[in-house]
Amino acid sequence: MNTNWIKAFAPATVANVSCGFDVFGFALHQPGDEVEIRLNDSGHVTVTQIMGDANLLPREAHLNTCGVAVQQFLHATKLAHGAEIKLTKNLPLGSGMGSSAASAVAALVAINHATGNKLSRKDLLPFAVEAERMACGSAHADNVAPALMGGFVLIRDKETLDIINIPTPAELIAVVIHPHIEIKTSDARQAMRKTLSLHDAVKQWGNTAALVTGLMKEDFDLIGRSLEDVVAEPVRSIFIPGYDRVKQAALNNGALGCGISGSGPSMFALCKGEASAQQVAKAMQEAFQDIQLKADSYVSGINSNGAQVISSQ
Ligand code: HSE
């Protein structure tokens, strides 16, 4: 049994990407969570330290996304080991940046490494989805899949976890702005309408297909036109103070498009090139400041690697 501490990193992710509710997500380079894991012979999974969560996350393994993911992994692989977990949260809770997903994914990459990397990234995915189900009552994969596998992903089917990686232009840069309020994913999902009009459905699937085409053809105008959301944005944007003002600031400053990151309150914009993204980030942050809301900004290309082991001694 490998009793070294294995440390892994998993990145923040932007889920939905406007038109792709529950089907699109992409990974950022930074920020992200770090998890350290050490195998032992106790037969139990314990979370012995969490830093950066202001003491808000549950320490019981079965209530923590890291703990659940590792329990699922050990059960499925029929390993009799126990494991000790230390989590460093760099992602804000309830931010719409895939915080719960990043912790689960970093834990899985670490435990897989500790036990000889027997499973592929795709094999690890169901365990991360189970952790999401525990954390927010819904088994969506649009944060865990890009955090684990990297890139811009399409979840064609979340039951069979049929995941497709969509190539993206190198010049595509994402901006994420996190205003300092919290929205629970479970609440944001509760707010969703349970039915759609045919009119809205047609609009949304037109845009999802067009966004994939725009990304693959490196057609920035088409990417911009496709970043429209008639399903989640109308009901969820009202929970984000200043939403219209911040979105307008992004578009006025050259963003291709702008929307809610995951279930919010973070907002994302996609831009052509780093200089444009920096300008958009500044404008969005200032727009939040105008309404006295503090906000952090992140600018990143699409991270095609996903989670990584960062040390193994
Ligand atoms: N697709 C999920 C939702 C992502 O919007 O509820 C949550 O981050």
Side-chain angles (χ1 to χ4, degrees):
M1 181 172 63
N2 177 0
T3 54
N4 288 349
W5 280 105
I6 311 295
K7 186 176 191 176
F9 164 88
T13 44
V14 172
N16 300 336
V17 200
S18 292
C19 52
F21 180 74
D22 275 2
V23 302
F24 288 149
F26 64 82
L28 304 180
H29 288 287
Q30 287 286 347
D33 284 354
E34 287 175 8
V35 172
E36 288 172 86
I37 288 194
R38 183 169 62 175
L39 296 177
N40 58 40
D41 56 11
S42 70
H44 299 291
V45 176
T46 50
V47 180
T48 54
Q49 179 181 300
I50 305 181
M51 294 200 305
D53 71 326
N55 236 10
L56 292 169
L57 288 175
R59 268 55 184 169
E60 299 91 331
H62 68 288
L63 298 176
N64 182 290
T65 59
C66 292
V68 171
V70 171
Q71 284 172 337
Q72 292 278 328
F73 174 94
L74 291 173
H75 181 74
T77 52
K78 303 193 171 36
L79 291 168
H81 305 311
E84 179 183 351
I85 302 175
K86 296 181 185 176
L87 166 63
T88 304
K89 288 287 322 163
N90 297 312
L91 295 183
L93 310 180
S95 60
M97 295 172 66
S99 176
S100 56
S103 301
V105 164
L108 285 168
V109 168
I111 189 94
N112 195 35
H113 187 93
T115 52
N117 275 323
K118 298 219 170 54
L119 299 192
S120 69
R121 292 290 168 110
K122 194 164 189 318
D123 293 335
L124 297 175
L125 195 52
F127 313 137
V129 170
E130 272 317 302
E132 285 286 63
R133 189 201 302 276
M134 181 281 302
C136 55
S138 149
H140 57 275
D142 49 343
N143 291 114
V144 287
L148 192 54
M149 293 149 141
F152 190 115
V153 301
L154 161 66
I155 321 297
R156 192 200 63 80
D157 180 56
K158 66 177 178 179
E159 268 74 49
T160 56
L161 291 175
D162 186 2
I163 312 288
I164 297 111
N165 193 280
I166 311 291
T168 52
E171 272 189 293
L172 192 72
I173 308 288
V175 172
V176 176
I177 310 285
H178 169 238
H180 292 187
I181 56 169
E182 190 181 329
I183 294 178
K184 287 198 169 69
T185 298
S186 50
D187 294 342
R189 293 188 78 85
Q190 205 67 43
M192 295 292 291
R193 288 171 295 193
K194 301 295 172 275
T195 56
L196 285 181
S197 69
L198 186 59
H199 175 270
D200 285 353
V202 170
K203 221 173 183 12
Q204 198 84 355
W205 62 55
N207 280 322
T208 55
L211 181 54
V212 172
T213 310
L215 291 169
M216 296 186 71
K217 291 174 75 172
E218 308 204 353
D219 180 338
F220 288 93
D221 286 340
L222 182 56
I223 292 170
R225 294 204 300 285
S226 315
L227 290 172
E228 180 190 26
D229 174 15
V230 298
V231 172
E233 186 187 63
V235 282
R236 288 179 166 180
S237 59
I238 52 182
F239 300 123
I240 305 172
Y243 184 82
D244 292 337
R245 170 195 280 259
V246 176
K247 180 170 177 172
Q248 204 51 55
L251 298 176
N252 290 347
N253 281 274
L256 303 168
C258 173
I260 304 172
S261 176
S263 53
S266 293
M267 294 175 65
F268 82 97
L270 289 180
C271 302
K272 185 178 180 183
E274 175 80 23
S276 168
Q278 292 293 353
Q279 183 179 334
V280 166
K282 186 167 174 283
M284 292 174 76
Q285 202 171 18
E286 282 170 2
F288 271 126
Q289 267 162 21
D290 287 345
I291 58 159
Q292 275 75 51
L293 196 46
K294 276 217 177 87
D296 301 314
S297 79
Y298 306 92
V299 173
S300 169
I302 311 294
N303 170 357
S304 56
N305 298 317
Q308 299 294 327
V309 170
I310 50 180
S311 69
S312 54
Q313 1 262 316

